Structure formats: C-alpha cells, structure tokens
C-alpha cells in the first residue's frame, strides 16, 4: 500500500517496527494513520504560516488602513483566544470516545473564518475591515483551541511513542519549504496590492478545509470517557493537577517562562520596520520563517523523540542568545542593517520552533489516556492567561523603551532555560 511505503520511507526501520504507548489493536493501522495525520498537520502548519499574525495579518491590516491599536491585538487574540477556553473544551471532549470529529470541526471553523476574512477585506476598509478581522480571529482561535486539544489526544492514540516528534518535525519542514516558495513569489509582487493578500487568505482557507477532509479518514481507537459528565466541575478538578502533579507543574512553569521565544519576535519586526520600512520587508521575514521551519523542524522532531527535555534546553538557549544579542546591539550600535534583523529573526524562529516541538512531545510522552487531554487543556488555559499578563507587561515596557522589552524577554528565556535543566526526562 502507498501509505505503508511512505511510512517506511519517513520512519526509520527500528521505530517502524515499534508500537509503543498505543493499543495493540491499533498497531496495524499505524502506517495509514501516520500518513493521514502527517498530511493534515502539514496543511495546517502551512495555513498557519500563510496567516501569521506577526507578519501577514499585520501587513494586511496596514494595507486596508485599520487603526494601529487594532494591530496590537492580533497576536494576543490568536494565541490566548485559542488557549483560554481549553480547560472547558478538554473536559467536554473527554466525554466522547472518538475525538477526531472535534479536530475536523475545528479545522472547518478555521478555514471558514479565514475565507470570511478574504471577503471582508475585499469589500471593507479602515476600522470596519479591522474589526471584521479581529472578530473573525476570535472565532478562528476557538476552532484552533478545539484542534489543539483533539490533535494531541488523537495523535497519542494513533501514532506510537518515538514517532510523534518525527511526525511534527516532518510537517514543519515540509510546510517551511512550501512557505519559502510562496515568499519568493511574494517578492515579485506588489506588497501593497490587496489582491495578493486575498489570494493568500483564500489559499489558506482551502488548506484547512482540505485538512478536515483528510483527517476524517483517520481510524481512531475509542478512548476513555470517564469523568466527563460535568464539564465545568471536571475543569475545576483538573486545575488541581498543578498542585498535586509536580512534574506537570514544573513543565507548565517552564513553558510559561519560555513564552519570550515567541513574543519577542513582533518587537524585532517593529524595530526593523521603523528603520527599514520598504515594501519587501514582509517577504524577507516570511522567507526567514520558512527557512527556520524547513531547516530546524525535522532536526528538532528527531531529537525530541530521544529527549524532548534536551530539545527545550537547546531551544531556550538559542532564544536567549537571540534576545540578548539583539538587546546588546541596540544598546551599542542602535540602527542595524536589515540583514542583522533577519539573521536574529531566523535565530529566534529556530529557537521558538524547538520550544514548540519540545514541549508538545514532552507533554505527549508524559501522559496517556484521559490524563493527556487534561494536561493539554490545563496547561494551555494557564498559558493563555499568562500570554495576556506577559503581553500587558511588555506593552507597558514598550511605552517606556523597546530595549527594556528585549531585556525582559531575555531574562524570561534565561529563567526558562534554567527551569528546563531541572525538568526530569519524560
């Protein structure tokens, strides 16, 4: 079968024979499920890159003339909006033995919202277009949160331990290569041409809808459904994991401290825009994002299957280096050439990719069954709150000095690195 050949090509022989941490009855379905989950995750990763709030949506808001105050809400809404409801979503999802349906629904919601964004910016401008994008982004985030909870649980039941990091890495690398091709096309286009963004949004919407169709073919083994009778009550009970489960509590603290690896990038882009505000800047930053994903994701994925803790340590060190070097160069030199910003953005993107792969694989390997769903929902909800808190702190610091923001995130990454070293192996 084609799936078997693709699976054997992508997974090394020793891992391909293994069937760890999934039911024995699901072992024969692993090759097909691996390929289907991989394709679905690839399409979603590509869609995420093409609608990044740090780059594409920010540029789009400027093109349609939306107020700058609205632009500042893009990243917090997209990230925290998908995480905050997950405590309730996780308790709700665990009531059902088959959970791929939730992922399919979440993917359809995301694709529909992105398609609606394309229609909105095609007909509206200014504040009206900005409000439409923000409103649709809120709904988009709910779909994203649903996919996040369901994907980790379905992947945990269909992909054996030791192959999950590879799957994430392959999807990240492939999506990075495809985004690189889109970025090269964007370099040849007029960056202020609204049609370019409409085409990007429509293409991204089709990716999410196609992913939903592919994921519907996954053969998922029924899971546990105990404890899902009262979603609200169960949600509050799950918060108790932070007090009773030491390893999980350490993981959440470490993940919270490493938020700087993601949140510092918009400030770097802001500095680059202030000093090099030419029309090709967006394409160059997209190229850096795609190159970072293509070069690092597969490496991080394979390393995460050996030690996800080690991945978080190395990635945290890279993020710390990016923040600290940028802060020092701003203090000593001031205005930097564009290539300096691009190289530092590349370093931060590689570091953040490692943080993402490492913490996802660590969480998957640390838990099983309903415990995995609980861990995901609790940790994502807590991180959603922290995103708003850290975002508020960094916004206040930015009023005073962008340099202070850089040092703040450097300190956060340093603390995250030290905490990652203390984590036990998953």
């Amino acid at each position: 079968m084609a799936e078997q050949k693709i699976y054997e090509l992508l997974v090394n022989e020793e891992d391909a024979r293994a069937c760890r941490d999934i039911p024995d009855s699901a072992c024969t379905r692993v090759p097909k499920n691996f390929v289907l989950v991989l394709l679905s995750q690839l399409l979603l990763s590509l869609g995420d890159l093409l609608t990044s709030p740090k780059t594409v949506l920010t540029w789009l808001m400027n093109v349609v003339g939306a107020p700058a105050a609205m632009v500042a809400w893009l990243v917090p809404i997209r990230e925290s909006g998908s995480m905050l409801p997950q405590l309730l979503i996780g308790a709700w999802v665990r009531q059902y033995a088959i959970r791929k349906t939730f992922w399919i629904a979440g993917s359809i919601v995301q694709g529909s919202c992105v398609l609606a964004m394309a229609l909105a910016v095609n007909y509206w401008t200014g504040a009206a277009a900005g409000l439409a994008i923000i409103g649709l982004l809120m709904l988009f985030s709910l779909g994203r949160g649903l996919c996040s909870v369901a994907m980790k649980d379905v992947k945990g039941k269909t992909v054996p331990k030791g192959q999950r990091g590879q799957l994430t890495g392959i999807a990240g690398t492939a999506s990075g290569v495809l985004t690189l091709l889109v970025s090269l096309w964007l370099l040849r286009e007029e960056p202020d041409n609204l049609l370019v963004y409409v085409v990007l949004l429509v293409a991204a919407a089709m990716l999410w809808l196609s992913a939903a169709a592919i994921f519907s073919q996954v053969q998922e083994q029924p899971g546990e459904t105990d404890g899902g009778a009262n979603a609200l009550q169960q949600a509050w009970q799950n918060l108790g994991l932070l007090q009773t489960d030491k390893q999980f509590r350490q993981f959440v603290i470490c993940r919270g401290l490493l938020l700087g690896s993601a949140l510092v990038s918009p400030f770097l882009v802001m500095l680059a825009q202030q000093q090099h505000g030419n029309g090709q800047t967006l394409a160059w930053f997209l190229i850096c994002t795609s190159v970072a994903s293509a070069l690092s994701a597969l490496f991080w994925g394979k390393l995460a299957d050996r030690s996800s803790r080690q991945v978080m340590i190395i990635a945290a060190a890279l993020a710390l280096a990016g923040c600290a070097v940028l802060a020092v160069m701003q203090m000593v030199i001031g205005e930097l050439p564009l290539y300096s910003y691009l190289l530092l953005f590349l370093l931060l993107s590689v570091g953040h990719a490692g943080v993402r792969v490492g913490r996802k694989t660590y969480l998957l390997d640390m838990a099983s069954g309903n415990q995995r769903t609980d861990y995901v929902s609790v940790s994502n909800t807590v991180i959603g709150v922290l995103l708003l808190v850290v975002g508020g702190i960094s916004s206040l610091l930015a009023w005073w000095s962008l340099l202070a923001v850089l040092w703040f995130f450097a300190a956060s990454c340093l603390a995250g690195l030290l905490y990652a070293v203390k984590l036990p192996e998953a």
Side-chain angles (χ1 to χ4, degrees):
M1 295 176 63
E3 296 92 346
Q4 182 71 37
K5 292 181 179 179
I6 296 174
Y7 175 71
E8 292 174 353
L9 180 66
L10 296 177
V11 180
N12 66 63
E13 185 177 358
E14 181 179 349
D15 286 340
R17 292 196 302 266
C19 195
R20 293 181 288 166
D21 201 31
I22 65 172
D24 292 338
S25 57
C27 286
T28 57
R29 303 171 183 171
V30 166
K32 180 178 181 179
N33 283 335
F34 184 95
V35 173
L36 291 173
V37 173
L38 172 63
L39 288 175
S40 302
Q41 192 162 324
L42 166 61
L43 294 179
L44 256 69
S45 297
L46 181 56
D48 279 336
L49 289 173
L50 294 182
T51 58
S52 170
K54 300 176 185 177
T55 51
V56 176
L57 292 186
T58 296
W59 251 262
L60 176 60
M61 293 280 271
N62 289 328
V63 170
V64 299
M70 293 184 180
V71 176
W73 285 102
L74 291 175
V75 174
I77 286 176
R78 184 176 184 269
E79 298 301 326
S80 63
S82 65
M83 292 181 178
L84 284 173
Q86 288 194 21
L87 193 61
L88 287 176
I89 289 175
W92 175 47
V93 167
R94 68 181 295 169
Q95 299 178 54
Y96 299 86
I98 299 296
R99 291 158 187 175
K100 70 176 185 179
T101 308
F102 294 96
W103 193 95
I104 296 168
S107 186
I108 292 174
V109 167
Q110 291 178 87
S112 300
C113 288
V114 172
L115 188 59
M117 285 183 194
L119 294 174
V121 300
N122 195 47
Y123 290 103
W124 297 334
T125 58
L131 286 172
I133 292 174
I134 289 177
L136 289 167
L137 195 59
M138 290 179 181
L139 183 57
F140 172 95
S141 297
L142 293 177
R144 193 165 182 258
L146 197 59
C147 283
S148 177
V149 171
M151 172 59 92
K152 290 181 176 65
D153 192 62
V154 174
K155 189 190 293 185
K157 291 195 292 180
T158 57
V159 179
K161 187 175 183 178
Q163 301 177 25
R164 297 160 184 165
Q166 293 180 62
L167 188 151
T168 302
I170 293 169
T173 297
S175 63
V177 171
L178 293 175
T179 306
L180 176 60
L181 298 178
V182 175
S183 304
L184 294 175
W185 165 74
L186 192 60
L187 274 176
R188 303 177 58 183
E189 299 295 326
E190 174 56 48
D192 292 331
N193 184 355
L194 182 61
L195 181 60
V196 172
Y197 297 93
V198 172
V199 170
L200 283 179
L201 292 177
V202 172
M206 294 303 104
L207 292 173
W208 269 292
L209 297 178
S210 299
I214 292 173
F215 204 77
S216 66
Q217 303 303 309
V218 171
Q219 296 176 303
E220 178 190 358
Q221 192 81 0
E224 303 171 13
T225 59
D226 61 295
N230 189 319
L232 184 59
Q233 180 182 358
Q234 185 63 45
W236 284 112
Q237 289 178 358
N238 288 344
L239 279 175
L241 289 170
L242 293 170
Q243 181 178 2
T244 59
D245 193 322
K246 181 181 178 181
Q247 183 180 6
F248 177 60
R249 181 173 64 251
Q250 290 178 320
F251 166 77
V252 173
I253 294 174
C254 181
R255 182 181 173 186
L257 291 170
L258 291 177
L259 284 176
S261 67
L263 296 181
V264 71
S265 294
F267 293 97
L268 184 153
V269 174
M270 188 184 302
L271 287 169
Q273 275 187 301
Q274 291 175 356
Q275 300 170 13
H276 306 280
N278 62 74
Q280 303 301 325
T281 304
L282 168 62
W284 283 115
F285 275 109
L286 271 180
I287 288 173
C288 286
T289 302
S290 57
V291 168
S293 179
L295 294 181
S296 67
L298 188 57
F299 164 76
W300 289 131
K302 288 187 175 181
L303 183 58
D305 284 332
R306 299 177 185 174
S307 173
S308 51
R309 168 183 169 272
Q310 198 68 30
V311 167
M312 287 192 286
I313 292 173
I314 298 173
L318 293 178
L320 170 61
C323 292
V325 170
L326 178 60
V328 171
M329 293 180 73
Q330 285 295 314
M331 289 179 63
V332 177
I333 302 175
E335 183 171 336
L336 305 176
L338 180 59
Y339 70 82
S340 297
Y341 289 113
L342 294 174
L343 288 174
L344 288 171
F345 185 81
L346 184 63
L347 178 63
L348 287 168
S349 297
V350 170
H352 179 56
V355 170
R356 283 173 56 87
V357 172
R359 53 101 170 160
K360 286 182 178 180
T361 308
Y362 191 93
L363 189 62
L364 278 172
D365 292 345
M366 184 171 57
S368 61
N370 271 340
Q371 188 182 42
R372 183 182 293 117
T373 305
D374 296 339
Y375 277 2
V376 171
S377 59
V378 172
S379 63
N380 282 350
T381 299
V382 172
I383 296 301
V385 174
L386 287 177
L387 270 168
L388 296 178
V389 173
V390 175
I393 294 173
S394 60
S395 296
L396 290 174
L397 288 174
W399 278 98
W400 174 42
S401 167
L402 286 180
L403 185 60
V405 177
L406 299 179
W407 282 118
F408 170 69
F409 285 126
S412 174
C413 288
L414 174 60
L417 170 61
L418 296 176
Y419 226 94
V421 172
K422 296 180 180 180
L423 281 177
E425 291 289 345

